[in-house]
Structure formats: C-alpha cells, structure tokens
Amino acid sequence: MISQPIDPFFRRLFIVVAIVIALVMLRLMWPVIIPFFCAFILAYLFNPLVKALSKYVRRWIAILVVYAAITIGMTVLLWWLIPTLWRQLQAAWEYLPQILSWYNDVAREWFVNHMRIRLPELESKGVSETFVGYMQTHYKFEDASSLMSQVLASGMSFINSAGLIVLVPILTFYFLFNWDKRLHGWKMAIPTAYSKKVVSIAHECDRALMAFIKGQLLVMVLLGVIYAVQLQLIGLELGLIIGMAAGIASFVPYLGFGLGFIASIIAGLFQFGLDWFHLSLIVGAFLVGQAAEGYILQPLLLGDKIGLSPLWVIFAVLAGASLLGFVGMLIALPVSAVLNVLFIHLYGYYRTTDFYKGRKQLNLFEEK
C-alpha cells in the first residue's frame, strides 16, 4: 500500500490548530500551573542549601531541616514585627491632632497670607462628621450589599490562596527530593547533537542567576540595616520598619529608595512636624544609603553579575512592569540575566555564520 504525502497546507493547518489549542489549555489551566511554577522556583533557590546538608544526612532530612529553619525564622520575625508595627501605628494615630494643628496654624495661615486662598479650618470631630456625611450621601444600602459580596468573594479568594500556600511547600518538597533525577531526565531528552552546548549554556545561566540572587540578597539585608540604623539614630519611631522594608524593596531597582524615602518623610512630618532639621537628616540618610548601594554594595557584592548597563536595567524593570505589573518588576532582572547569557551565545553563533562573513546573502538581498 503506497502512502500518500500529506498536503503542506493541511500540515501547517494542523500545526497552527495544535498551537492554538495548547495556548488555550495553558490559559485555562494557569491557576493550576501557578503553584507548580512557584514550587519549582523555590526548589531551585533552596536546592544548593539542601544539597550541602545532604552530604551529612539523608536528603529528605535535609529538606525538613531547611523547612524548619525557614519556619522558625519567619515565626520569630512575625513575633517581633507585629507588636512593634501595632505600637508604631498607634503612635502614628496619636499624631493626627498635631497634624491638624499644624495645618490650621501654619499651612492654612501661609496660604491665606501668600496665595490669598482661604482653606477651611479642620478639627478631628469635623473630619469624622465630614467622612460620615460623605458616606451617607454617596453610598446606599445597595452599595453596602455589593461591598459585602465583594468581601465574601475576597474571603473565598483568600481561602483559595491559603490552600495554595499549603500546597506550594508540599510541591517544593517533591521537586527537591527528586531534583537530580529530574534534571538528569531532562538532560537525556536533549538531542545528542546539541546536548553538550545546551548543558553548557544552562550551567552559565545557572551561575549568573545564582550569583545575582546571592549578591542581591546580601545587598537587600545590608541596605536595610544601613537605612534602619540611620533612621533610628535620627529618632524616627517608625525608622526600623521603614528601613528594613526599604532594604527588602530594593530588590527592584529604585523602588526601595523611593518607597522608603516617601514613607520616612511622611512619618517624619507626623512625628516632628515641619522640622527642617530632622527632615534634612532623613533626606541625608537616604542619600547616604543610595551612595552606599551604588558605590560600595553593588560593586562589591554584585559586580557585573548581570552584565547589563544601568540603561538596560531601567528598561528591563519598566518592561517587566508594563508586561506583568509588580510581578514583572520582581522578575525583570533575573530574567534579564538569563536572556543576556542566551544573547551572548546567539551573537557568538551569528558571527560564525556565512551571512555575517559575507560569503552568502539572504534571498531577500540576492540580485536576480
């Protein structure tokens, strides 16, 4: 029986339909894929530590030890952070009368004398009555009912998220337990002709990514300490929390500096009022932190781990934010580190082609 060749049109049509179906299935299964993706990332990050511990104990014991250390660390951090944050929020609320007094006595008088603008005088009781009146005027029972529905929907979403929080550590455990075997299986699936090159590129991506992550974590911790110590020495009551939060947020370039600076200025106005001396000290603290990050921490701990210029770093962060929002900002630099390695190899291959050397032209440029 002689087989008939498949028409190229139907072959291409089949490929296009298969791709469309795969993309649709991926979109529908995205909520299921997310926990597996998060677990894989966590397993990748924790694997070096588990691998080091597994030299002395069984691998599953090493994984449990890492889990226990993370759990104890998070518990101690929350045990200290939540009461401290609550006390500082109460202290911030007590500054509200002082803010209203500064508005009435300083800001309002300045506008009257210099701008000829008459601003209304504010009181704590008046602010509360204004808020209640606004709510009664603009929101009805239907709005409250809709709000309750949204709250219930958010509650269900929270329950689902809590389920994912429980699921991700379990998936991470299984990823870690069979990590080497799984990598070996993926390696054996690569065509033999390309296996050596692909494995070499994967190792380079791994080295660049891990070096960047380790260096960035050290930068975050040290920068948070620098900000927190300076703000505490200035006497800012919220300085410890703001400083550490600014250090953590510095994973995204310029985000930690921006958020920490704004939060510190607002907290300083609450605590010190329009005291130019203390506000200048806060500004100076963040300038010192930014200088330490740019001229000491980044060069020593990160160096040229990504291989990107500052212009490309800013472009990567903005592009990530445009494509995936806040998550895109978080993953912009690690993804850029991997893409940079791939581009270097692609550019090296391009320079070996006949087209680059001028021995052969594309059909588009050939003279007929």
Side-chain angles (χ1 to χ4, degrees), residues 11 72 99 306 312:
R11 182 186 292 111
I72 293 172
I99 295 296
I306 308 180
W312 279 109

Side-chain angles (χ1 to χ4, degrees), residues 31-32 34-35 151-169:
V32 179
I34 286 178
V151 169
L152 292 176
S154 300
M156 293 302 296
S157 177
F158 175 77
I159 293 174
N160 293 333
S161 300
L164 292 180
I165 292 174
V166 175
L167 180 61
V168 167

Side-chain angles (χ1 to χ4, degrees), residues 33-87:
I33 295 174
I34 286 178
F36 286 85
F37 179 75
C38 295
F40 176 79
I41 297 299
L42 291 175
Y44 173 75
L45 295 176
F46 295 150
N47 181 64
L49 183 57
V50 172
K51 189 174 182 179
L53 291 176
S54 62
K55 296 178 181 178
Y56 309 100
V57 295
R58 292 181 179 274
R59 189 171 179 85
W60 66 271
I61 297 177
I63 298 173
L64 294 180
V65 169
V66 172
Y67 273 32
I70 294 173
T71 303
I72 293 172
M74 292 296 297
T75 302
V76 172
L77 180 62
L78 292 176
W79 185 270
W80 166 80
L81 184 61
I82 292 177
T84 304
L85 180 61
W86 178 250
R87 288 195 301 269

Side-chain angles (χ1 to χ4, degrees), residues 141-333:
F141 174 77
E142 292 81 3
D143 299 315
S145 177
S146 176
L147 178 62
M148 288 302 298
S149 299
Q150 294 178 5
V151 169
L152 292 176
S154 300
M156 293 302 296
S157 177
F158 175 77
I159 293 174
N160 293 333
S161 300
L164 292 180
I165 292 174
V166 175
L167 180 61
V168 167
I170 298 175
L171 297 175
T172 304
F173 178 89
Y174 285 110
F175 273 120
L176 284 170
F177 188 73
N178 293 317
W179 185 263
D180 293 334
K181 184 184 297 185
R182 187 169 287 106
L183 286 184
H184 180 71
W186 292 346
K187 179 181 177 180
M188 297 304 296
I190 302 173
T192 308
Y194 308 102
S195 178
K196 185 177 180 180
K197 188 64 175 179
V198 171
V199 171
S200 174
I201 294 175
H203 280 305
E204 289 188 30
C205 292
D206 176 64
R207 286 194 295 269
L209 195 56
M210 291 305 297
F212 165 73
I213 292 175
K214 292 175 183 177
Q216 186 63 52
L217 287 176
L218 285 175
V219 170
M220 289 163 55
V221 172
L222 294 177
L223 191 60
V225 171
I226 291 174
Y227 284 140
V229 169
Q230 290 185 103
L231 295 177
Q232 286 291 103
L233 291 176
I234 292 172
L236 190 66
E237 293 184 357
L238 298 174
L240 190 61
I241 290 179
I242 293 176
M244 296 307 296
I248 295 172
S250 65
F251 184 83
V252 178
Y254 313 109
L255 179 64
F257 171 80
L259 293 180
F261 180 77
I262 294 173
S264 297
I265 292 296
I266 294 175
L269 289 173
F270 268 87
Q271 182 175 342
F272 306 118
L274 198 61
D275 186 338
W276 294 109
F277 175 73
H278 285 91
L279 294 180
S280 299
L281 289 179
I282 293 174
V283 173
F286 277 88
L287 292 178
V288 170
Q290 191 70 5
E293 180 185 11
Y295 295 102
I296 300 176
L297 299 180
Q298 292 276 4
L300 290 179
L301 299 177
L302 280 175
D304 195 22
K305 299 297 190 302
I306 308 180
L308 299 177
S309 67
L311 290 176
W312 279 109
V313 168
I314 296 174
F315 174 79
V317 172
L318 294 178
S322 176
L323 293 174
L324 297 175
F326 183 72
V327 176
M329 295 176 66
L330 291 178
I331 66 174
L333 292 185

Side-chain angles (χ1 to χ4, degrees), residues 90-157:
Q90 287 180 320
W93 179 256
E94 293 175 357
Y95 286 115
L96 180 60
Q98 299 181 24
I99 295 296
L100 294 177
S101 176
W102 174 82
Y103 165 80
N104 292 324
D105 299 337
V106 179
R108 182 169 171 270
E109 292 296 327
W110 187 89
F111 274 97
V112 170
N113 296 330
H114 296 85
M115 305 293 293
R116 303 301 178 184
I117 299 176
R118 295 188 175 275
L119 298 176
E121 186 173 357
L122 297 180
E123 298 179 359
S124 300
K125 181 179 179 181
V127 171
S128 302
E129 292 176 350
T130 301
F131 176 76
V132 172
Y134 178 85
M135 294 295 291
Q136 291 176 345
T137 303
H138 293 83
Y139 293 93
K140 301 178 182 179
F141 174 77
E142 292 81 3
D143 299 315
S145 177
S146 176
L147 178 62
M148 288 302 298
S149 299
Q150 294 178 5
V151 169
L152 292 176
S154 300
M156 293 302 296
S157 177

